[in-house]
């Protein structure tokens, strides 16, 4: 089993719904604490960066 250092999003509100991210040089894992299935999405750092850029541009 791989080890992850999970970080909680700085935009997390009080309660159960928080996004958590774990990153290495090769991959980025994202999960949401309120998800009962505890699904972990995995992507590349480049793709995750593109997602963040898109979200920031849509403000």
């Amino acid at each position: 089993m791989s080890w992850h250092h999970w970080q909680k999003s700085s935009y997390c509100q009080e309660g159960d719904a928080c996004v958590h991210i774990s990153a290495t040089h090769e991959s980025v894992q994202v999960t949401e604490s309120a998800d009962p299935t505890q699904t972990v999405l995995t992507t590349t750092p480049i793709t995750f960066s593109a997602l963040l850029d898109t979200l920031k541009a849509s403000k």
Side-chain angles (χ1 to χ4, degrees):
M1 177 184 281
S2 62
W3 179 85
H4 296 284
H5 175 73
W6 293 102
Q7 294 179 286
K8 184 168 56 170
S9 168
S10 61
Y11 290 99
C12 184
Q13 301 294 319
E14 292 296 320
D16 291 335
C18 293
V19 174
H20 297 266
I21 299 166
S22 177
T24 67
H25 292 293
E26 296 84 26
S27 66
V28 177
Q29 291 77 35
V30 181
T31 190
E32 199 263 316
S33 59
D35 179 7
T37 65
Q38 298 179 348
T39 301
V40 175
L41 304 175
T42 301
T43 189
T44 65
I46 292 171
T47 304
F48 187 71
S49 179
L51 171 65
L52 293 179
D53 290 343
T54 300
L55 292 172
K56 289 175 186 177
S58 67
K59 281 188 170 183

